[in-house]
Every structure is written in C-alpha cells, then in structure tokens.
Amino acid sequence: MKKLAKIIFFFLALSSMSVHAQTADVIVYGGTAGGVTAAIAAAREGASVLLVEPGQHVGGMVTGGLSHTDYGDRALIGGLALEFYERVAAVYKKPLFFWRGPEPTIGEKILRDWLKEAKVSVRYGDRVKTVYKTGREIKKLELMSGAVLTANVFIDASYEGDLMARAGVAYAIGREGKSQYGESWAGRQPFYPDKHNFPLPVSPFVNGKNGKLLPLINARSQAGFGESDSAVQAYCFRFLITKKPDNRVAITRPPGYDPARYELLRRYLKVRKPTNLSETGVLKPSVNLPNGKAEINSAGPVSTNLYDGSNWAYPEAGYTLRDRIWNDHLLYTQGLLYFIANDPEVPESIRQEAQQWGLCKDEFADTGHWPHQLYIRVARRMIGEYVMTQHDLEKDTTKYDAIAMGSYNIDVRHTQRTYHQVSRFPVLEAETINEGYLSIPVSPYEIPYRSIVPEFEKCSNLLVPVCMSGSNIAYASIRMEPQFMTIGHASGVAAAMASKQQVAVQRVDITVLQKKLLAQRQVLSYENNPNGIFGKDNTVTVDDDMTRFVKRTGSWRSSEDPLLQRHAITCLLSSKSEPSSVVFRPYLPEAANYNVYGWWPSAPDYASNASLVIQHAGGEKQLTVNQREKGGQWIKLGTFRFDKGYTGAITIDNQAADGLVAADAFKFEQTK
C-alpha cells in the first residue's frame, strides 16, 4: 500500500507540474493581433511557442470591436498582416481590402485557426504576476494562477506592457514636454477647435457659473503649454450595432444607471438642437461591415470616449483598479446609449431613431454582446535602444535596421474634458472643451529594430512590439493595428533567431532578419518595394485611396458603400457640378509592354461616356468607357508600352459625362 501511495503521489506531482510549469523557446505575453503575428512568425521559424492571453479571446482590438481598421498607406501592409487580410478576403469572397476588416467573430476564428495551423500553444485567462531575472536575462514568469513559465526569449505584446515593466525595463507614460525630444507637437497644446469638440458654449459647472464641476469633466489642473503631464489618450469601447431585426439585441437600462451622469450631454443637446441621431454626436451609425453591421467610434463632443481622466491611472494600476476602470468605461457606454434612446429630454424623433439600432446577437456572445476588449489607445511606452520621435515620422524616415513601415497620421485623441475661460464681451465665461486632439499628416516612415528591444543593460531576451519605444507623439501614429501586426511579425522572427542562436535580442543579425522578412513579403522600404503589396508578380495595381499614386482635382466624394462592387475599401464619385479629374500614376518596375485594366462599380445613373486618357511611352490614347455596365470586375483597356518609373499615367474626368463618374482602380500587367 505504501508503495502504491508513493506511486500515486509521484504521478499527482507530475500532473501538478504540468499544469503549473511550462516551457517554450519563445513565450508571447498578450494575445493582441500583434501578439498573434509574433507567435505565428516565431513558430514558422521552428521555435516552440506559448502564447499567454490574460483574457479569453485573441486578437485584441482587431476582434474586440475595431473591425473597421484604421490604415495609412495600404501598400505598406505586408507580411503576416497582409496574410491576415488575404484570409479575410477569402472568407468574404471579395477583393483584398474590400472590407477594412472582418466581423469580430469571423476575425477571431481566422486567428484561432491560424494559431492552430502554426502549432502555437495558447494559455487563456492568466496574468503576469512576477518576472524573475538573473542579471539582464529573464529566467521565468510567475502568473497569477501560480503557473511558472520559462523560455529563451520573451515577447511582451500586451497593450499595457506589464511583462516589460515587471522586468525592470524603462518606460514612459503620458505626454513629454517639447524640450525632451524637441518635438513641436509635444506637451499640452493650445486649444484647437476640431470636429469632435463643442461648437457651442456649454457651462462645465453644476450651477452654471462656478463651483462644483459636472460629471464627465476632469477636475485636474492643466499643465502649461508645451509641458509634460500624465495624460493618456481617452479609452472607449468600439461596439457593433445593427438594424436587422433578426440579429438585433435591444439596449437595456444598465445596472446602476444614473441619468445625472449625462447632464453635460443634456445641456449640449439643448443648445445644439439636433434633428437626427448623427447630429447629437453621440454616435453616427452607418453600415461599414458585412451583414448590415455598423462599428461605432467616438463622433462628437459627448460620445463613446470617456474624457473624465479616469483612464490616466490605468497604465500603472493594479489589476483590481484596472478592472474597475474597465468596467466603469463599459457602464458609461451602456448608459450613454440608453440615455440617447430613452431620456425624456432627448427629442422623441431622435429617441425613436436610436431605438432602431441594437447590439448584434451573433457577436460577443459571452460578454453580453458588448466587446470583450477596452480600446486602450496607449498605456506604457518602452524607452528602448532607440526612441522614435516626431522627427522620425517627418524627416529622418529611413533606418538601416528597418523591420516594418508606418504611415498613419499622428493621431492623438482627446486626453480629457476640461474648460477654459472665454472672453465674450462684457463677461468672461467658462466653457467646456475636450483637450488634446491632434491629427498631423506624416510621411511614410521606416520602423527600426532598435525601437522594439530594451536597452541592453536592462534586458537581453525581451522584445516589445506593441508598447514599443516611442515618444507620445510618435506612438500616436505607430499605434494602429495593422502596424502592430507587422511589428509583431518582425519581433517573432527575431525572437526565434535569438533563441536558436542563443544570443541577446540586441545582437540578432539585422541583415539576416531583414532578408527573412523580405522573403515573407514584409515591406521595409520604398527602395526595395516602391509599390508595396500592390506591385508583385509583374503586376502593379493603383487604387483610388493610394495617395502616393493618385492626385485629384475638383470635387470627388469617397464612398465605402458596401452595396457598390468597388475594387477595395473605397471608390471616388463625381458629378458635373464642377470640372473634376483624377490622375493615377503608378511606379512601373521596368520599361515593357503592359496590359492595362480598369475597375469601377456600375449603376444606372453612372456615365455611359466617362473619359479616359492613357499616357504611355508612345504618346496618349483617349478612350470612352461605359460605367453603367460590366462593373465590379477588371475590364481590359488595351496593351501599351511604358517606360520605367512614374512616366505613365491614366486620367479620368467628368468633362463630357452624362452621369456620375467613378474613379476606382487600374492594373498594369507586364506582358511576356
């Protein structure tokens, strides 16, 4: 019996160890989209990989409500990010990027299947507790469950950077001052009116004069212009709604609902006098996803972003406080939607319009049809071997160690709701404002490997693709999900290399890493790939929203109407209200003969005689095309010889058109 007892004890101990101890070549913490691509990239390099996700879902915001993905220059989305969007296109049987992204449930299925294909192990529902290091090397992680994980290399792909922080790596939170990096847009800026702000005066005080502030307003004193503070961009939930009766779930009164919390909105509606739901600014629903779904982002002065400053504490908060902040954001959002659809002081016509929309029955089933991910726009930001700043996005855009490219605007959403004093003769009035918004165009830029590794003395076996090393201003451009995915891809390949070669991540051979990434369709520079993903297999495609290759004159409106058989996300439409034209000018890789194809949607009110001029090596060819027929497919326009570079062009205009003119996409296919 004693012997049997010892055997049973031995196997129980082994079982316990298998639950509480795991090892892999590479451990990725954070199942964000960047974490998923990091894990898959490392696994494809032959590493054993464990992905640890604190929640119950993978994909972060890509599957957590931000399906209508933001992008800059789509031609820079390569590597595993491109493969993800190709999988999306295959599911919906549409051209690449017809949809900005998939429905959340579809997106998560794509990612889970992808992880399974790559043989990545996934551990759900556990958070990092302690990081143990010897010198500069992480030896193991202890999770909140008590599990202990060991690996050669670790990747922190979380939005919060908890593994990074617990490893003793330097990081920043909030806005740097102008003087720190010499950035003109750094620190608190003067108030600039914007489309998300109050167009009319609204008092911030309970009594309308001075004294106690209304809810939803940050009571902190503001920093001086250009000075640093702890402000982070507002968080929100990017939820999905629909009008389809068979898939609509009514939005009900949330627990603890307090209509007084929305007094500021009530006051704003009184002075704004909106005539429809969109004019309230609370939400501007339009179908922008498959199957009649609308994804909602913040849209007005009082909207889905919570500007009371409560999220400023989130990056450094313990898990209990974080959960409280997270849940309060959810309750705020639920109450906001209930208010606009039910409060008696909201005009009845607007209430009725709001009640037509509901949550989607087939999304977020285990979280009451509300997203399972809070939109954490920024939290901690590593101070690594290289800190990207405004200068790297505007002037110093090339890097010898580039591992991906970025292109999105410097996009800083408001950090707080506060007020300022405005002189309105003969009185000085306090008026409510949303503070901190910036949208600054930048050039496409290269992202250096040095910005995803810590300083060597801090840690030698950690990569950080999401809370990567950048100033508050630079990070505001880098933080887009497709860019997280490309950076995650690079970090996964680098982690596998460091693990296999048993070297510090800072000593990975950059040349070898770049060759691997280029072979995996990552876009590292214009020089190597001037057309990005739209120049491959002897074919170059130019779409209407590829601003590097497309120039407009006159009046064109961009349409994402899902009923149109457009080529990709948008098409351009113009009536004869004023002379208008669009010039498509591709970069062609060599002098050769090319078959030229056009793509446009068709409709009965489109022009039957749209004018095209093809500028080629031998001169110009004028064509008239009927856009009322045969739309939604490639239509051959002829074969022409073009010189290398930007010498050829196609111009479409509305000069003699007898209907709407559509400018969508053109393809140049090199003949053999």
Side-chain angles (χ1 to χ4, degrees):
M1 284 295 293
K2 287 184 178 179
K3 186 175 182 180
L4 179 60
K6 287 181 179 179
I7 292 172
I8 292 172
F9 177 80
F10 174 74
F11 281 107
L12 285 173
L14 282 179
S15 175
S16 175
M17 286 175 63
S18 68
V19 171
H20 292 287
Q22 287 183 269
T23 188
D25 296 331
V26 176
I27 287 178
V28 181
Y29 183 73
T32 60
V36 170
T37 56
I40 290 169
R44 287 184 174 180
E45 291 296 310
S48 59
V49 182
L50 172 63
L51 174 62
V52 180
E53 164 50 37
Q56 298 299 327
H57 299 270
V58 293
M61 285 305 299
V62 168
T63 62
L66 208 168
S67 297
H68 199 242
T69 312
D70 294 317
Y71 67 91
D73 185 340
R74 280 188 295 116
L76 305 182
I77 302 175
L80 292 183
L82 171 59
E83 184 175 334
F84 172 73
Y85 289 106
E86 288 174 337
R87 289 176 179 236
V88 171
V91 167
Y92 291 111
K93 297 180 173 58
K94 292 287 188 181
L96 181 64
F97 293 118
F98 183 89
W99 297 109
R100 286 180 181 257
E103 299 156 275
T105 300
I106 298 297
E108 185 162 8
K109 184 180 186 307
I110 291 171
L111 294 181
R112 285 180 183 259
D113 289 348
W114 205 6
L115 288 165
K116 188 175 180 180
E117 288 171 23
K119 296 181 171 56
V120 173
S121 300
V122 184
R123 184 186 185 102
Y124 293 97
D126 219 344
R127 290 162 155 170
V128 61
K129 179 181 179 182
T130 308
V131 174
Y132 296 93
K133 289 171 65 181
T134 299
R136 62 174 68 95
E137 186 176 355
I138 298 173
K139 290 298 184 182
K140 59 184 179 181
L141 306 183
E142 181 184 1
L143 303 180
M144 296 299 290
S145 67
V148 176
L149 312 179
T150 58
N152 297 326
V153 180
F154 297 83
I155 298 174
D156 187 342
S158 67
Y159 291 124
E160 296 88 353
D162 288 339
L163 192 162
M164 170 190 74
R166 285 163 173 75
V169 172
Y171 59 86
I173 296 172
R175 298 185 282 201
E176 294 93 355
K178 282 187 175 183
S179 61
Q180 184 161 348
Y181 297 117
E183 298 171 302
S184 61
W185 294 107
R188 185 172 79 86
Q189 294 288 311
F191 174 66
Y192 305 110
D194 61 78
K195 64 181 181 180
H196 304 293
N197 232 305
F198 292 85
L200 297 164
V202 179
S203 172
F205 297 111
V206 171
N207 64 8
K209 292 294 181 183
N210 293 303
K212 185 179 180 181
L213 290 169
L214 290 170
L216 307 184
I217 295 178
N218 189 355
R220 294 177 180 86
S221 298
Q222 297 185 66
F225 294 142
E227 293 183 2
S228 64
D229 60 16
S230 58
V232 295
Q233 297 184 51
Y235 299 168
C236 71
F237 280 93
R238 297 280 290 261
F239 53 90
L240 273 64
I241 55 177
T242 184
K243 277 186 172 181
K244 286 192 169 184
D246 60 340
N247 197 34
R248 187 178 66 220
V249 177
I251 295 168
T252 57
R253 183 185 179 102
Y257 172 71
D258 180 6
R261 191 176 194 185
Y262 305 96
E263 173 60 25
L264 185 68
L265 175 57
R266 192 177 286 112
R267 291 184 185 183
Y268 172 64
L269 295 179
K270 284 182 179 179
V271 297
R272 175 67 174 84
K273 295 180 174 59
T275 60
N276 56 55
L277 181 59
S278 291
E279 287 181 359
T280 69
V282 171
L283 65 160
K284 297 181 179 180
S286 63
V287 173
N288 53 16
L289 291 175
N291 298 311
K293 295 173 184 175
E295 184 211 305
I296 302 301
N297 193 7
S298 58
V302 183
S303 188
T304 54
N305 282 346
L306 184 52
Y307 294 137
D308 63 357
S310 59
N311 69 315
W312 292 18
Y314 184 91
E316 288 280 68
Y319 294 138
T320 300
L321 177 55
R322 279 214 193 135
D323 290 345
R324 194 155 62 238
I325 294 169
W326 183 299
N327 291 333
D328 185 61
H329 276 69
L330 181 58
L331 287 172
Y332 163 76
T333 309
Q334 293 170 334
L336 180 72
L337 268 64
Y338 182 79
F339 175 94
I340 203 66
N342 295 278
D343 193 278
E345 294 192 47
V346 175
E348 183 179 0
S349 61
I350 292 174
R351 279 183 277 143
Q352 290 178 351
E353 184 182 352
Q355 289 168 12
Q356 294 175 19
W357 294 91
L359 302 175
C360 300
K361 187 186 300 182
D362 60 351
E363 300 289 356
F364 310 122
D366 61 342
T367 51
H369 309 293
W370 293 94
H372 48 69
Q373 177 66 57
L374 177 64
Y375 191 9
I376 301 162
R377 288 186 170 94
V378 60
R380 297 182 177 102
R381 306 183 318 278
M382 180 173 66
I383 300 174
E385 287 280 351
Y386 186 90
V387 179
M388 292 190 70
T389 68
Q390 179 182 334
H391 309 292
D392 296 293
L393 278 58
E394 294 181 338
K395 296 179 180 178
D396 303 324
T397 57
T398 60
K399 298 290 182 288
Y400 72 87
D401 57 341
I403 44 86
M405 290 191 73
S407 65
Y408 200 78
N409 275 18
I410 296 171
D411 183 48
V412 184
R413 299 308 295 260
H414 296 101
T415 61
Q416 62 180 322
R417 182 175 291 114
T418 182
Y419 65 93
H420 61 178
Q421 299 288 343
V422 179
S423 177
R424 297 190 182 277
F425 181 82
V427 295
L428 193 65
E429 296 283 2
E431 297 183 4
T432 307
I433 59 169
N434 298 329
E435 183 272 318
Y437 181 83
L438 291 173
S439 183
I440 312 299
V442 300
S443 303
Y445 54 88
E446 297 172 11
I447 298 170
Y449 180 69
R450 289 163 293 158
S451 68
I452 66 171
V453 297
E455 294 173 305
F456 180 65
E457 291 303 317
K458 298 290 185 182
C459 191
S460 62
N461 63 335
L462 173 68
L463 293 117
V464 184
V466 176
C467 294
M468 50 85 66
S469 181
S471 70
N472 182 63
I473 291 297
Y475 192 85
S477 168
I478 297 165
R479 66 180 180 85
M480 302 303 147
E481 293 293 331
Q483 292 167 183
F484 282 157
M485 294 174 81
T486 58
I487 301 169
H489 177 177
S491 71
V493 175
M497 291 174 61
S499 173
K500 184 177 181 179
Q501 298 166 13
Q502 296 186 328
V503 298
V505 294
Q506 293 86 353
R507 291 176 177 162
V508 163
D509 189 318
I510 295 298
T511 302
V512 174
L513 173 61
Q514 290 174 326
K515 286 180 179 178
K516 285 178 177 287
L517 292 172
L518 286 170
Q520 296 164 12
R521 301 192 296 169
Q522 189 90 308
V523 179
L524 306 186
S525 71
Y526 280 156
E527 182 178 355
N528 288 331
N529 198 345
N531 284 293
I533 63 167
F534 294 96
K536 59 179 182 178
D537 301 329
N538 297 319
T539 299
V540 173
T541 303
V542 180
D543 196 70
D544 65 277
D545 66 349
M546 295 169 61
T547 55
R548 280 188 293 137
F549 309 109
V550 179
K551 303 299 179 188
R552 312 180 202 177
T553 62
S555 178
W556 296 87
R557 64 180 176 88
S558 180
S559 175
E560 289 192 38
D561 185 347
L563 299 178
L564 294 177
Q565 289 298 309
R566 59 190 190 272
H567 173 256
I569 295 171
T570 62
C571 70
L572 298 175
L573 298 172
S574 181
S575 65
K576 286 191 65 176
S577 58
E578 63 176 291
S580 304
S581 64
V582 182
V583 179
F584 293 76
R585 191 177 298 278
Y587 180 93
L588 298 177
E590 57 183 278
N593 291 325
Y594 290 83
N595 294 323
V596 178
Y597 301 84
W599 181 303
W600 49 80
S602 291
D605 58 343
Y606 285 15
S608 66
N609 60 343
S611 173
L612 288 180
V613 176
I614 300 175
Q615 180 182 331
H616 53 89
E620 292 185 349
K621 175 70 173 181
Q622 294 190 352
L623 298 173
T624 299
V625 297
N626 184 354
Q627 295 190 327
R628 295 177 184 174
E629 300 175 352
K630 298 181 180 180
Q633 60 183 309
W634 288 117
I635 298 173
K636 188 172 181 179
L637 303 175
T639 302
F640 306 91
R641 184 166 184 81
F642 294 91
D643 292 328
K644 178 180 178 179
Y646 295 103
T647 58
I650 297 179
T651 302
I652 185 167
D653 66 48
N654 66 355
Q655 293 299 299
D658 57 6
L660 282 175
V661 173
D664 197 346
F666 292 94
K667 181 170 68 174
F668 300 77
E669 179 185 73
Q670 188 173 337
T671 62
K672 295 181 180 180

